[in-house]
Amino acid sequence: GAGVSQSPRYKVAKRGQDVALRCDPISGHVSLFWYQQALGQGPEFLTYFQNEAQLDKSGLPSDRFFAERPEGSVSTLKIQRTQQEDSAVYLCASSSSRGYEETQYFGPGTRLLVL
Amino acid sequence: RKEVEQDPGPFNVPEGATVAFNCTYSNSASQSFFWYRQDCRKEPKLLMSVYSSGNEDGRFTAQLNRASQYISLLIRDSKLSDSATYLCVVNPGGYNKLIFGAGTRLAVHP
């Protein structure tokens, strides 16, 4: 079956531009996560959705970052007024339930470069 | 101090070698533990879960020591295809948020 998909795969933005990154989780998956991976580092948690509810946004680095999942399936991560330090790979992951033993399946990521 | 710390690597080993990666975590209440593999410019993929009793999957053996808050991964008979970054991952509990280490890069050469 189809895995997690993300679009665009690559995004180049000028500093100050707004960007929107899309995640299509595996169909029926309840939990959806966004992570940010800087070069040479492991992924870092940004935010978590259970269905349409955003239950944890403690990892969002600033109020320029906003995520939504209005119908409990597709999610969008929006970054306003992008800065160079926002350059990273943004990974989306989904899992079938909220249990801590559930495997998270990652999408291929969106590589964002802010010039 | 980072929540999950790993040997930074890189580890350069010949084919057939045995290599061990170590990882420590700071949150003693952590619930579950994993090793993920990440190939260059690809997404992380689950390699194996880690249990206190130790678990083995073919050439890979993972071990957890809760008292020392220490996790290990042993790879025997290394293959060229094992070349990747290995991420130590901890779930602190609750709803399945994952905390990743920075990763250890492994390069297996002929």
Side-chain angles (χ1 to χ4, degrees):
Chain A
V4 178
S5 61
Q6 292 186 245
S7 61
R9 294 292 311 277
Y10 302 90
K11 178 70 180 176
V12 179
K14 290 184 180 177
R15 190 159 55 94
Q17 276 186 328
D18 297 350
V19 298
L21 313 180
R22 177 186 169 108
C23 172
D24 283 82
I26 293 172
S27 179
H29 275 195
V30 167
S31 296
L32 185 145
F33 302 80
W34 284 99
Y35 295 85
Q36 179 191 59
Q37 186 171 22
L39 191 63
Q41 299 298 314
E44 292 197 2
F45 170 80
L46 294 177
T47 188
Y48 163 65
F49 290 87
Q50 185 180 321
N51 296 306
E52 69 278 3
Q54 188 175 21
L55 299 187
D56 187 344
K57 51 183 180 179
S58 62
L60 295 176
S62 76
D63 58 9
R64 296 186 296 103
F65 286 70
F66 171 77
E68 59 183 6
R69 193 186 185 198
E71 297 177 358
S73 55
V74 171
S75 177
T76 303
L77 176 67
K78 297 179 180 177
I79 309 173
Q80 296 176 323
R81 305 181 303 282
T82 51
Q83 303 294 315
Q84 286 185 321
E85 62 262 28
D86 300 335
S87 296
V89 177
Y90 291 85
L91 294 161
C92 175
S94 69
S95 64
S96 59
S97 77
R98 65 187 180 119
Y100 59 79
E101 290 288 345
E102 289 295 328
T103 299
Q104 288 189 26
Y105 297 90
F106 283 81
T110 294
R111 293 183 176 275
L112 173 65
L113 177 61
V114 182
L115 302 175
Chain B
R1 182 188 169 194
K2 287 197 164 189
E3 289 189 66
V4 179
E5 299 208 53
Q6 295 184 242
D7 292 340
F11 285 59
N12 294 298
V13 303
E15 277 186 288
T18 295
V19 60
F21 302 141
N22 305 313
C23 166
T24 58
Y25 60 96
S26 60
N27 183 350
S28 60
S30 295
Q31 297 287 334
S32 51
F33 309 87
F34 311 92
W35 284 99
Y36 273 69
R37 170 188 170 133
Q38 187 170 28
D39 291 289
C40 189
R41 302 180 74 83
K42 298 286 189 181
E43 71 273 21
K45 292 186 178 175
L46 179 65
L47 179 64
M48 57 198 304
S49 300
V50 190
Y51 305 108
S52 297
S53 54
N55 50 303
E56 189 173 308
D57 182 3
R59 297 181 293 108
F60 299 82
T61 300
Q63 192 77 47
L64 166 67
N65 184 322
R66 282 189 182 267
S68 303
Q69 295 176 209
Y70 174 91
I71 306 164
S72 65
L73 177 68
L74 185 76
I75 306 175
R76 291 180 300 279
D77 188 24
S78 299
K79 310 290 185 193
L80 295 175
S81 57
D82 294 334
S83 297
T85 295
Y86 291 83
L87 297 160
C88 179
V89 186
V90 171
N91 182 325
Y95 58 79
N96 205 13
K97 166 181 170 178
L98 298 180
I99 308 296
F100 287 80
T104 302
R105 200 154 62 90
L106 171 66
V108 182
H109 57 82

PDB file of all heavy atoms in Angstrom, chain B residues 6-11 103-106:
ATOM      1  N   GLN B   6      24.782   9.718  21.432  1.00  0.00           N
ATOM      2  CA  GLN B   6      25.385   8.597  20.725  1.00  0.00           C
ATOM      3  C   GLN B   6      26.837   8.891  20.401  1.00  0.00           C
ATOM      4  O   GLN B   6      27.243  10.053  20.299  1.00  0.00           O
ATOM      5  CB  GLN B   6      24.691   8.375  19.379  1.00  0.00           C
ATOM      6  CG  GLN B   6      23.271   7.967  19.422  1.00  0.00           C
ATOM      7  CD  GLN B   6      22.733   7.687  18.041  1.00  0.00           C
ATOM      8  OE1 GLN B   6      21.807   8.348  17.592  1.00  0.00           O
ATOM      9  NE2 GLN B   6      23.292   6.691  17.360  1.00  0.00           N
ATOM     10  N   ASP B   7      27.607   7.802  20.180  1.00  0.00           N
ATOM     11  CA  ASP B   7      28.925   7.945  19.566  1.00  0.00           C
ATOM     12  C   ASP B   7      28.748   8.682  18.250  1.00  0.00           C
ATOM     13  O   ASP B   7      27.929   8.289  17.440  1.00  0.00           O
ATOM     14  CB  ASP B   7      29.523   6.562  19.233  1.00  0.00           C
ATOM     15  CG  ASP B   7      29.879   5.773  20.462  1.00  0.00           C
ATOM     16  OD1 ASP B   7      30.039   6.388  21.524  1.00  0.00           O
ATOM     17  OD2 ASP B   7      29.990   4.541  20.340  1.00  0.00           O
ATOM     18  N   PRO B   8      29.516   9.728  18.003  1.00  0.00           N
ATOM     19  CA  PRO B   8      29.308  10.468  16.756  1.00  0.00           C
ATOM     20  C   PRO B   8      29.797   9.739  15.505  1.00  0.00           C
ATOM     21  O   PRO B   8      29.279   9.989  14.419  1.00  0.00           O
ATOM     22  CB  PRO B   8      30.096  11.752  16.986  1.00  0.00           C
ATOM     23  CG  PRO B   8      31.120  11.401  18.006  1.00  0.00           C
ATOM     24  CD  PRO B   8      30.510  10.346  18.874  1.00  0.00           C
ATOM     25  N   GLY B   9      30.790   8.829  15.653  1.00  0.00           N
ATOM     26  CA  GLY B   9      31.366   8.201  14.470  1.00  0.00           C
ATOM     27  C   GLY B   9      32.191   9.213  13.690  1.00  0.00           C
ATOM     28  O   GLY B   9      32.580  10.242  14.238  1.00  0.00           O
ATOM     29  N   PRO B  10      32.475   8.991  12.408  1.00  0.00           N
ATOM     30  CA  PRO B  10      32.041   7.796  11.682  1.00  0.00           C
ATOM     31  C   PRO B  10      32.868   6.563  12.038  1.00  0.00           C
ATOM     32  O   PRO B  10      33.997   6.674  12.478  1.00  0.00           O
ATOM     33  CB  PRO B  10      32.259   8.197  10.220  1.00  0.00           C
ATOM     34  CG  PRO B  10      33.391   9.167  10.263  1.00  0.00           C
ATOM     35  CD  PRO B  10      33.254   9.908  11.574  1.00  0.00           C
ATOM     36  N   PHE B  11      32.255   5.427  11.848  1.00  0.00           N
ATOM     37  CA  PHE B  11      32.933   4.151  11.989  1.00  0.00           C
ATOM     38  C   PHE B  11      33.234   3.647  10.582  1.00  0.00           C
ATOM     39  O   PHE B  11      32.327   3.499   9.780  1.00  0.00           O
ATOM     40  CB  PHE B  11      32.030   3.133  12.703  1.00  0.00           C
ATOM     41  CG  PHE B  11      31.901   3.350  14.183  1.00  0.00           C
ATOM     42  CD1 PHE B  11      31.414   4.532  14.695  1.00  0.00           C
ATOM     43  CD2 PHE B  11      32.245   2.346  15.071  1.00  0.00           C
ATOM     44  CE1 PHE B  11      31.295   4.729  16.072  1.00  0.00           C
ATOM     45  CE2 PHE B  11      32.120   2.525  16.446  1.00  0.00           C
ATOM     46  CZ  PHE B  11      31.647   3.713  16.942  1.00  0.00           C
ATOM     47  N   GLY B 103      22.793  10.389  15.743  1.00  0.00           N
ATOM     48  CA  GLY B 103      23.137   9.363  14.769  1.00  0.00           C
ATOM     49  C   GLY B 103      24.617   9.048  14.739  1.00  0.00           C
ATOM     50  O   GLY B 103      25.463   9.907  15.048  1.00  0.00           O
ATOM     51  N   THR B 104      24.907   7.805  14.391  1.00  0.00           N
ATOM     52  CA  THR B 104      26.282   7.355  14.211  1.00  0.00           C
ATOM     53  C   THR B 104      26.417   6.847  12.792  1.00  0.00           C
ATOM     54  O   THR B 104      25.651   5.981  12.370  1.00  0.00           O
ATOM     55  CB  THR B 104      26.630   6.212  15.189  1.00  0.00           C
ATOM     56  OG1 THR B 104      26.439   6.663  16.521  1.00  0.00           O
ATOM     57  CG2 THR B 104      28.065   5.760  14.988  1.00  0.00           C
ATOM     58  N   ARG B 105      27.385   7.402  12.081  1.00  0.00           N
ATOM     59  CA  ARG B 105      27.552   6.996  10.687  1.00  0.00           C
ATOM     60  C   ARG B 105      28.466   5.789  10.595  1.00  0.00           C
ATOM     61  O   ARG B 105      29.526   5.739  11.225  1.00  0.00           O
ATOM     62  CB  ARG B 105      28.132   8.154   9.879  1.00  0.00           C
ATOM     63  CG  ARG B 105      27.891   8.025   8.395  1.00  0.00           C
ATOM     64  CD  ARG B 105      27.883   9.384   7.717  1.00  0.00           C
ATOM     65  NE  ARG B 105      29.156  10.064   7.850  1.00  0.00           N
ATOM     66  CZ  ARG B 105      30.154   9.939   6.970  1.00  0.00           C
ATOM     67  NH1 ARG B 105      30.025   9.150   5.941  1.00  0.00           N
ATOM     68  NH2 ARG B 105      31.269  10.603   7.145  1.00  0.00           N
ATOM     69  N   LEU B 106      28.032   4.811   9.810  1.00  0.00           N
ATOM     70  CA  LEU B 106      28.820   3.600   9.568  1.00  0.00           C
ATOM     71  C   LEU B 106      29.147   3.526   8.083  1.00  0.00           C
ATOM     72  O   LEU B 106      28.258   3.656   7.243  1.00  0.00           O
ATOM     73  CB  LEU B 106      28.030   2.349   9.977  1.00  0.00           C
ATOM     74  CG  LEU B 106      28.650   1.002   9.580  1.00  0.00           C
ATOM     75  CD1 LEU B 106      29.963   0.782  10.326  1.00  0.00           C
ATOM     76  CD2 LEU B 106      27.682  -0.144   9.860  1.00  0.00           C
TER      77      LEU B 106
END
